[in-house]
Amino acid sequence: MICSNCNKNIVKPLELYNGDWACPSCKTVVGVKSIAVKVNKENDETFKLSELCYLRALKSQKDLSEYERNLAVAIEYCRAAARMGNPKALIRLAFYYEHGYITADVTESFRIAYEYYKLVWSSMPEMEERPADRDYAESCIKLRSAAAKHYLELLKKLPESFRRVGELNYHDEREKIVAKGLTIPDDDGADRVMAESRAMHVLSVLQTCLAKERSPLFGIMRLGRGDYAELCAVRGSSKLNDSKLLTFARKLLIVLFDASSGEFRTIKTADDVDAIEPDSAYYLYFFNGGGEHGISESKCKRIGKTLRKNTGFGEYSGVKRIIDAMSGAAVQTDFVFTEDDVLMHKNSRLESYAHATEDLINKVAKQ
Protein backbone atom coordinates (compact mmCIF):
# COMPACT_ATOMS: atom_id res chain seq x y z
CA MET A 1 0.00 0.00 0.00
CA ILE A 2 1.45 3.37 -1.04
CA CYS A 3 0.79 6.47 1.08
CA SER A 4 -0.81 9.17 -1.07
CA ASN A 5 0.96 11.88 0.92
CA CYS A 6 4.60 10.78 1.39
CA ASN A 7 4.64 8.06 -1.33
CA LYS A 8 6.21 5.56 1.06
CA ASN A 9 5.23 1.90 0.96
CA ILE A 10 3.17 1.17 4.07
CA VAL A 11 4.17 -2.29 5.25
CA LYS A 12 2.33 -2.09 8.58
CA PRO A 13 -0.08 0.82 9.04
CA LEU A 14 -1.17 2.22 12.38
CA GLU A 15 -4.57 0.71 13.18
CA LEU A 16 -6.66 3.31 14.97
CA TYR A 17 -9.52 3.08 17.46
CA ASN A 18 -12.12 4.22 14.91
CA GLY A 19 -11.18 1.61 12.29
CA ASP A 20 -8.99 3.86 10.16
CA TRP A 21 -5.48 3.01 9.03
CA ALA A 22 -2.70 5.60 9.04
CA CYS A 23 0.77 5.91 7.54
CA PRO A 24 3.32 5.42 10.35
CA SER A 25 5.69 7.89 8.67
CA CYS A 26 3.58 10.99 7.93
CA LYS A 27 0.43 10.01 9.94
CA THR A 28 -1.87 10.48 6.94
CA VAL A 29 -5.10 8.51 7.32
CA VAL A 30 -5.43 5.80 4.68
CA GLY A 31 -9.04 4.78 4.18
CA VAL A 32 -10.01 1.21 3.34
CA LYS A 33 -11.52 2.48 0.07
CA SER A 34 -8.00 3.32 -1.12
CA ILE A 35 -7.10 -0.40 -1.18
CA ALA A 36 -6.91 -1.81 -4.69
CA VAL A 37 -8.72 -5.15 -4.59
CA LYS A 38 -6.64 -7.61 -6.55
CA VAL A 39 -5.26 -11.14 -6.55
CA ASN A 40 -1.62 -11.79 -7.33
CA LYS A 41 0.86 -14.50 -6.50
CA GLU A 42 2.25 -12.74 -3.41
CA ASN A 43 -1.00 -11.89 -1.65
CA ASP A 44 -2.58 -15.22 -2.62
CA GLU A 45 0.30 -17.19 -1.06
CA THR A 46 0.17 -14.98 2.04
CA PHE A 47 -3.55 -15.62 2.41
CA LYS A 48 -3.05 -19.38 2.00
CA LEU A 49 -0.50 -19.28 4.85
CA SER A 50 -3.08 -17.44 6.94
CA GLU A 51 -5.72 -20.09 6.30
CA LEU A 52 -3.25 -22.87 7.11
CA CYS A 53 -2.47 -21.28 10.48
CA TYR A 54 -6.18 -20.76 11.12
CA LEU A 55 -6.84 -24.46 10.53
CA ARG A 56 -3.99 -25.31 12.89
CA ALA A 57 -5.59 -23.05 15.50
CA LEU A 58 -8.94 -24.84 15.16
CA LYS A 59 -7.22 -28.21 15.59
CA SER A 60 -5.35 -27.05 18.70
CA GLN A 61 -8.26 -25.59 20.68
CA LYS A 62 -7.70 -28.00 23.57
CA ASP A 63 -4.29 -26.38 24.14
CA LEU A 64 -5.12 -22.71 24.80
CA SER A 65 -1.58 -21.37 24.41
CA GLU A 66 -1.05 -23.26 21.14
CA TYR A 67 -4.47 -22.12 19.89
CA GLU A 68 -3.73 -18.45 20.66
CA ARG A 69 -0.30 -18.67 19.06
CA ASN A 70 -1.63 -20.17 15.81
CA LEU A 71 -4.55 -17.75 15.69
CA ALA A 72 -2.27 -14.74 16.22
CA VAL A 73 -0.04 -15.84 13.33
CA ALA A 74 -3.10 -16.48 11.13
CA ILE A 75 -4.43 -12.98 11.80
CA GLU A 76 -1.08 -11.33 11.06
CA TYR A 77 -0.77 -13.16 7.72
CA CYS A 78 -4.38 -12.23 6.95
CA ARG A 79 -3.71 -8.56 7.75
CA ALA A 80 -0.70 -8.61 5.41
CA ALA A 81 -2.71 -10.18 2.56
CA ALA A 82 -5.60 -7.74 3.14
CA ARG A 83 -3.25 -4.76 3.02
CA MET A 84 -2.12 -6.05 -0.40
CA GLY A 85 -5.78 -6.11 -1.49
CA ASN A 86 -6.50 -9.85 -1.52
CA PRO A 87 -10.34 -10.09 -1.51
CA LYS A 88 -10.48 -13.41 0.35
CA ALA A 89 -8.22 -11.98 3.04
CA LEU A 90 -10.45 -8.89 3.34
CA ILE A 91 -13.48 -11.16 3.84
CA ARG A 92 -11.64 -13.29 6.39
CA LEU A 93 -10.35 -10.21 8.26
CA ALA A 94 -13.90 -8.85 8.38
CA PHE A 95 -14.97 -12.23 9.81
CA TYR A 96 -12.26 -11.98 12.49
CA TYR A 97 -13.52 -8.55 13.54
CA GLU A 98 -17.20 -9.49 13.35
CA HIS A 99 -16.76 -12.53 15.59
CA GLY A 100 -14.40 -11.03 18.16
CA TYR A 101 -11.12 -12.68 17.18
CA ILE A 102 -9.47 -9.24 17.03
CA THR A 103 -9.40 -6.75 19.89
CA ALA A 104 -12.03 -4.08 19.31
CA ASP A 105 -15.22 -2.77 20.86
CA VAL A 106 -18.61 -3.51 19.30
CA THR A 107 -18.79 -0.26 17.33
CA GLU A 108 -15.27 -0.54 15.92
CA SER A 109 -15.70 -4.23 15.06
CA PHE A 110 -18.94 -3.56 13.22
CA ARG A 111 -17.58 -0.60 11.29
CA ILE A 112 -14.43 -2.41 10.12
CA ALA A 113 -16.28 -5.59 9.11
CA TYR A 114 -18.87 -3.46 7.32
CA GLU A 115 -16.20 -1.58 5.33
CA TYR A 116 -14.24 -4.71 4.35
CA TYR A 117 -17.27 -6.72 3.23
CA LYS A 118 -18.60 -3.74 1.26
CA LEU A 119 -15.24 -3.10 -0.41
CA VAL A 120 -15.20 -6.64 -1.79
CA TRP A 121 -18.80 -6.88 -3.03
CA SER A 122 -18.70 -3.43 -4.61
CA SER A 123 -15.37 -4.00 -6.46
CA MET A 124 -14.35 -6.13 -9.41
CA PRO A 125 -11.00 -7.61 -8.29
CA GLU A 126 -8.07 -7.46 -10.67
CA MET A 127 -6.32 -10.78 -11.22
CA GLU A 128 -2.80 -11.29 -12.51
CA GLU A 129 -2.38 -14.21 -14.90
CA ARG A 130 -6.13 -14.63 -14.86
CA PRO A 131 -7.88 -17.43 -16.77
CA ALA A 132 -10.34 -16.97 -19.61
CA ASP A 133 -12.64 -13.99 -19.20
CA ARG A 134 -15.71 -16.14 -18.49
CA ASP A 135 -13.97 -18.04 -15.68
CA TYR A 136 -12.62 -14.80 -14.29
CA ALA A 137 -16.05 -13.15 -14.27
CA GLU A 138 -17.73 -16.16 -12.68
CA SER A 139 -15.09 -16.49 -9.93
CA CYS A 140 -15.37 -12.76 -9.17
CA ILE A 141 -19.15 -12.91 -8.93
CA LYS A 142 -18.98 -15.87 -6.51
CA LEU A 143 -16.45 -14.05 -4.36
CA ARG A 144 -18.41 -10.81 -4.34
CA SER A 145 -21.66 -12.65 -3.65
CA ALA A 146 -20.06 -14.32 -0.63
CA ALA A 147 -18.96 -10.91 0.68
CA ALA A 148 -22.47 -9.53 0.06
CA LYS A 149 -24.04 -12.40 2.00
CA HIS A 150 -21.77 -11.77 5.00
CA TYR A 151 -22.46 -8.04 4.68
CA LEU A 152 -26.24 -8.49 4.89
CA GLU A 153 -25.91 -10.93 7.78
CA LEU A 154 -23.84 -8.29 9.55
CA LEU A 155 -26.58 -5.69 9.07
CA LYS A 156 -29.00 -8.02 10.86
CA LYS A 157 -26.81 -7.59 13.96
CA LEU A 158 -26.72 -3.81 13.74
CA PRO A 159 -25.46 -2.34 17.05
CA GLU A 160 -27.81 0.03 18.84
CA SER A 161 -25.50 2.97 18.13
CA PHE A 162 -25.89 2.45 14.35
CA ARG A 163 -29.64 1.91 14.10
CA ARG A 164 -30.25 5.60 13.46
CA VAL A 165 -27.81 5.71 10.54
CA GLY A 166 -29.99 5.79 7.43
CA GLU A 167 -27.44 4.37 5.00
CA LEU A 168 -27.36 1.09 6.93
CA ASN A 169 -30.94 0.12 6.15
CA TYR A 170 -30.99 -3.61 5.36
CA HIS A 171 -33.52 -3.43 2.53
CA ASP A 172 -31.84 -0.49 0.77
CA GLU A 173 -28.44 -2.17 0.94
CA ARG A 174 -29.90 -5.41 -0.38
CA GLU A 175 -31.34 -3.59 -3.38
CA LYS A 176 -27.91 -2.10 -4.15
CA ILE A 177 -26.38 -5.58 -4.07
CA VAL A 178 -29.07 -7.03 -6.36
CA ALA A 179 -28.50 -4.13 -8.77
CA LYS A 180 -24.87 -5.27 -9.01
CA GLY A 181 -26.10 -8.62 -10.37
CA LEU A 182 -24.93 -10.58 -7.34
CA THR A 183 -26.65 -13.71 -6.05
CA ILE A 184 -27.79 -13.51 -2.42
CA PRO A 185 -30.29 -15.45 -0.27
CA ASP A 186 -33.96 -14.52 -0.62
CA ASP A 187 -34.36 -13.23 2.93
CA ASP A 188 -35.84 -9.96 4.17
CA GLY A 189 -33.78 -10.03 7.39
CA ALA A 190 -36.24 -7.70 9.09
CA ASP A 191 -36.77 -9.61 12.30
CA ARG A 192 -33.27 -10.71 13.29
CA VAL A 193 -31.76 -7.79 15.15
CA MET A 194 -29.78 -9.30 18.00
CA ALA A 195 -29.72 -7.70 21.43
CA GLU A 196 -26.33 -7.06 22.96
CA SER A 197 -25.38 -7.93 26.52
CA ARG A 198 -23.34 -5.00 27.79
CA ALA A 199 -21.90 -7.07 30.63
CA MET A 200 -20.62 -9.83 28.35
CA HIS A 201 -19.28 -7.27 25.90
CA VAL A 202 -17.30 -5.53 28.66
CA LEU A 203 -15.87 -8.86 29.83
CA SER A 204 -14.90 -9.84 26.29
CA VAL A 205 -12.97 -6.58 25.87
CA LEU A 206 -11.23 -7.05 29.22
CA GLN A 207 -10.32 -10.59 28.16
CA THR A 208 -8.53 -9.23 25.08
CA CYS A 209 -6.19 -7.32 27.43
CA LEU A 210 -4.56 -10.69 28.14
CA ALA A 211 -3.94 -11.39 24.44
CA LYS A 212 -0.38 -11.66 23.17
CA GLU A 213 -1.06 -9.65 20.00
CA ARG A 214 -2.34 -6.07 19.91
CA SER A 215 -3.78 -6.08 23.41
CA PRO A 216 -5.62 -2.84 24.26
CA LEU A 217 -3.76 -0.18 26.21
CA PHE A 218 -6.81 1.52 27.70
CA GLY A 219 -10.51 1.92 27.07
CA ILE A 220 -13.80 3.37 28.32
CA MET A 221 -17.13 1.54 28.09
CA ARG A 222 -20.67 2.45 29.06
CA LEU A 223 -22.68 0.51 31.64
CA GLY A 224 -26.34 1.46 31.70
CA ARG A 225 -28.69 0.94 34.62
CA GLY A 226 -28.71 -2.72 35.57
CA ASP A 227 -25.65 -3.53 33.45
CA TYR A 228 -23.30 -3.28 36.43
CA ALA A 229 -25.38 -5.76 38.45
CA GLU A 230 -25.29 -8.19 35.50
CA LEU A 231 -21.53 -7.68 35.19
CA CYS A 232 -20.92 -8.48 38.86
CA ALA A 233 -23.11 -11.58 38.65
CA VAL A 234 -20.73 -13.25 36.18
CA ARG A 235 -18.43 -15.49 38.21
CA GLY A 236 -14.96 -16.73 37.38
CA SER A 237 -13.88 -20.35 37.24
CA SER A 238 -11.60 -20.20 40.31
CA LYS A 239 -12.43 -21.90 43.60
CA LEU A 240 -12.89 -18.46 45.18
CA ASN A 241 -15.98 -17.95 42.99
CA ASP A 242 -15.10 -14.27 42.68
CA SER A 243 -16.80 -11.87 40.35
CA LYS A 244 -15.13 -12.06 36.94
CA LEU A 245 -14.76 -8.27 37.13
CA LEU A 246 -12.67 -8.64 40.28
CA THR A 247 -10.50 -11.27 38.58
CA PHE A 248 -9.65 -8.77 35.85
CA ALA A 249 -9.16 -5.99 38.43
CA ARG A 250 -6.25 -7.97 39.90
CA LYS A 251 -4.46 -7.72 36.55
CA LEU A 252 -5.65 -4.36 35.19
CA LEU A 253 -6.44 -0.94 36.59
CA ILE A 254 -10.25 -0.77 36.56
CA VAL A 255 -12.03 2.41 37.62
CA LEU A 256 -15.78 3.11 37.59
CA PHE A 257 -17.13 6.60 37.01
CA ASP A 258 -20.58 7.23 38.48
CA ALA A 259 -22.57 9.17 35.87
CA SER A 260 -24.82 10.64 38.59
CA SER A 261 -22.36 11.70 41.29
CA GLY A 262 -19.38 12.35 39.02
CA GLU A 263 -17.11 10.27 41.28
CA PHE A 264 -14.43 7.75 40.33
CA ARG A 265 -13.96 4.53 42.29
CA THR A 266 -11.08 2.11 41.73
CA ILE A 267 -11.99 -1.59 41.87
CA LYS A 268 -9.43 -3.57 43.89
CA THR A 269 -11.31 -5.79 46.32
CA ALA A 270 -14.67 -7.53 46.73
CA ASP A 271 -15.71 -4.68 49.04
CA ASP A 272 -15.10 -2.20 46.21
CA VAL A 273 -17.29 -4.26 43.91
CA ASP A 274 -20.10 -4.49 46.46
CA ALA A 275 -19.94 -0.78 47.31
CA ILE A 276 -21.19 0.27 43.87
CA GLU A 277 -24.95 0.80 43.48
CA PRO A 278 -26.12 -1.97 41.12
CA ASP A 279 -28.89 0.09 39.49
CA SER A 280 -26.80 3.17 38.69
CA ALA A 281 -25.24 4.06 35.33
CA TYR A 282 -21.46 3.98 35.04
CA TYR A 283 -18.54 4.29 32.69
CA LEU A 284 -15.84 1.66 33.14
CA TYR A 285 -12.27 2.81 32.49
CA PHE A 286 -9.45 0.25 32.27
CA PHE A 287 -5.72 0.66 31.80
CA ASN A 288 -3.58 -2.28 30.72
CA GLY A 289 -0.06 -1.10 31.55
CA GLY A 290 1.38 -4.59 31.81
CA GLY A 291 -0.05 -6.01 28.59
CA GLU A 292 1.65 -7.01 25.36
CA HIS A 293 2.39 -3.71 23.63
CA GLY A 294 4.82 -2.40 21.08
CA ILE A 295 6.13 0.25 23.46
CA SER A 296 7.98 -0.11 26.76
CA GLU A 297 6.36 -0.38 30.18
CA SER A 298 7.81 2.99 31.21
CA LYS A 299 6.17 4.68 28.22
CA CYS A 300 2.88 2.98 29.06
CA LYS A 301 3.13 4.43 32.57
CA ARG A 302 3.55 7.93 31.16
CA ILE A 303 0.40 7.48 29.11
CA GLY A 304 -1.52 6.20 32.13
CA LYS A 305 -0.28 9.10 34.26
CA THR A 306 -1.51 11.58 31.66
CA LEU A 307 -4.98 10.01 31.63
CA ARG A 308 -5.34 10.12 35.40
CA LYS A 309 -3.53 13.34 36.28
CA ASN A 310 -5.33 15.77 38.56
CA THR A 311 -6.17 19.14 37.02
CA GLY A 312 -8.79 21.75 37.81
CA PHE A 313 -11.38 19.17 36.76
CA GLY A 314 -10.19 16.68 39.38
CA GLU A 315 -8.40 13.34 39.15
CA TYR A 316 -8.68 11.35 35.90
CA SER A 317 -9.28 14.56 33.99
CA GLY A 318 -8.17 12.95 30.69
CA VAL A 319 -10.59 10.07 31.16
CA LYS A 320 -13.37 12.47 32.14
CA ARG A 321 -12.96 14.48 28.93
CA ILE A 322 -13.41 11.31 26.86
CA ILE A 323 -16.47 10.36 28.92
CA ASP A 324 -17.96 13.80 28.28
CA ALA A 325 -17.46 13.25 24.54
CA MET A 326 -19.12 9.83 24.77
CA SER A 327 -22.15 11.12 26.67
CA GLY A 328 -22.69 13.95 24.20
CA ALA A 329 -22.11 11.97 20.99
CA ALA A 330 -24.93 11.70 18.44
CA VAL A 331 -23.95 8.05 17.85
CA GLN A 332 -23.02 6.46 21.14
CA THR A 333 -19.96 4.27 21.21
CA ASP A 334 -17.29 2.78 23.42
CA PHE A 335 -13.61 3.54 22.96
CA VAL A 336 -10.82 0.96 23.05
CA PHE A 337 -7.31 2.25 22.30
CA THR A 338 -3.98 0.57 21.49
CA GLU A 339 -0.51 2.13 21.40
CA ASP A 340 -1.09 2.86 17.69
CA ASP A 341 -3.61 5.54 18.67
CA VAL A 342 -0.97 7.31 20.76
CA LEU A 343 1.73 6.86 18.12
CA MET A 344 -0.60 8.49 15.59
CA HIS A 345 -0.24 11.74 17.57
CA LYS A 346 3.49 11.46 18.24
CA ASN A 347 4.82 13.66 15.46
CA SER A 348 8.53 13.41 16.24
CA ARG A 349 10.99 11.36 18.26
CA LEU A 350 11.40 14.26 20.66
CA GLU A 351 7.69 14.63 21.37
CA SER A 352 6.75 12.95 24.65
CA TYR A 353 4.20 10.18 24.99
CA ALA A 354 2.40 12.33 27.54
CA HIS A 355 1.97 15.13 24.98
CA ALA A 356 0.84 12.65 22.29
CA THR A 357 -1.73 11.25 24.72
CA GLU A 358 -3.06 14.75 25.40
CA ASP A 359 -3.41 15.28 21.64
CA LEU A 360 -5.36 12.00 21.36
CA ILE A 361 -7.68 13.07 24.19
CA ASN A 362 -8.23 16.44 22.49
CA LYS A 363 -9.16 14.73 19.21
CA VAL A 364 -11.66 12.38 20.85
CA ALA A 365 -13.12 15.22 22.96
CA LYS A 366 -13.86 17.27 19.83
CA GLN A 367 -15.81 14.53 18.03
Side-chain angles (χ1 to χ4, degrees), residues 108-126:
E108 179 185 342
S109 296
F110 176 87
R111 176 182 168 179
I112 296 173
Y114 165 84
E115 293 286 358
Y116 290 173
Y117 287 141
K118 186 170 185 177
L119 177 64
V120 176
W121 70 251
S122 61
S123 305
M124 179 64 80
E126 298 177 6

Side-chain angles (χ1 to χ4, degrees), residues 34-285:
S34 66
I35 299 174
V37 181
K38 60 185 178 182
V39 178
N40 56 34
K41 184 176 181 181
E42 183 182 6
N43 68 33
D44 190 46
E45 288 180 351
T46 303
F47 176 67
K48 287 177 180 176
L49 285 172
S50 171
E51 290 294 272
L52 179 62
C53 292
Y54 180 59
L55 289 174
R56 287 175 179 169
L58 294 179
K59 291 178 180 179
S60 60
Q61 290 185 72
K62 293 182 179 180
D63 184 337
L64 183 59
S65 62
E66 184 69 10
Y67 167 76
E68 290 181 344
R69 187 184 69 81
N70 285 321
L71 182 61
V73 175
I75 290 173
E76 285 309 303
Y77 275 127
C78 191
R79 287 185 195 275
R83 287 196 289 266
M84 290 186 279
N86 185 281
K88 291 182 180 179
L90 287 162
I91 293 173
R92 176 64 78 186
L93 198 56
F95 172 86
Y96 285 143
Y97 273 104
E98 179 185 356
H99 295 280
Y101 289 93
I102 296 177
T103 300
D105 65 70
V106 161
T107 303
E108 179 185 342
S109 296
F110 176 87
R111 176 182 168 179
I112 296 173
Y114 165 84
E115 293 286 358
Y116 290 173
Y117 287 141
K118 186 170 185 177
L119 177 64
V120 176
W121 70 251
S122 61
S123 305
M124 179 64 80
E126 298 177 6
M127 291 191 181
E128 295 183 3
E129 301 177 1
R130 71 192 191 194
D133 285 347
R134 181 179 177 183
D135 292 338
Y136 164 70
E138 288 180 354
S139 62
C140 283
I141 288 174
K142 288 180 181 179
L143 194 61
R144 294 167 65 209
S145 294
K149 178 182 177 181
H150 289 302
Y151 176 80
L152 292 175
E153 289 294 327
L154 182 71
L155 292 186
K156 295 175 187 177
K157 301 179 286 187
L158 200 65
E160 181 66 36
S161 55
F162 279 93
R163 290 178 194 166
R164 296 190 298 272
V165 181
E167 69 180 67
L168 299 186
N169 180 278
Y170 177 96
H171 299 286
D172 291 344
E173 292 300 287
R174 190 176 187 282
E175 287 182 6
K176 293 177 186 177
I177 291 169
V178 172
K180 290 276 188 179
L182 302 178
T183 304
I184 53 175
D186 186 14
D187 179 9
D188 63 14
D191 58 352
R192 296 196 191 176
V193 174
M194 296 175 62
E196 298 168 358
S197 166
R198 291 297 300 164
M200 296 310 296
H201 165 62
V202 168
L203 290 174
S204 68
V205 173
L206 295 178
Q207 181 65 43
T208 63
C209 291
L210 309 181
K212 295 182 179 180
E213 295 287 339
R214 283 187 56 79
S215 62
L217 182 55
F218 68 97
I220 303 171
M221 296 173 282
R222 293 173 294 106
L223 285 169
R225 295 189 180 278
D227 291 335
Y228 180 74
E230 182 185 351
L231 180 62
C232 292
V234 180
R235 297 288 159 177
S237 57
S238 68
K239 294 180 180 180
L240 297 175
N241 197 33
D242 283 334
S243 164
K244 192 102 180 203
L245 177 64
L246 184 58
T247 302
F248 284 118
R250 295 191 179 104
K251 301 174 182 178
L252 314 168
L253 171 65
I254 295 181
V255 181
L256 289 178
F257 173 76
D258 190 322
S260 300
S261 68
E263 296 179 350
F264 285 93
R265 182 189 292 270
T266 303
I267 302 297
K268 293 181 179 179
T269 67
D271 290 340
D272 296 324
V273 174
D274 295 337
I276 307 296
E277 293 294 332
D279 61 345
S280 294
Y282 296 96
Y283 288 85
L284 184 147
Y285 162 68

Side-chain angles (χ1 to χ4, degrees), residues 340-359:
D340 279 3
D341 294 298
V342 178
L343 291 172
M344 175 66 177
H345 296 275
K346 194 173 184 300
N347 297 314
S348 71
R349 290 184 179 181
L350 297 177
E351 185 174 13
S352 69
Y353 279 83
H355 190 271
T357 303
E358 289 174 353
D359 287 345

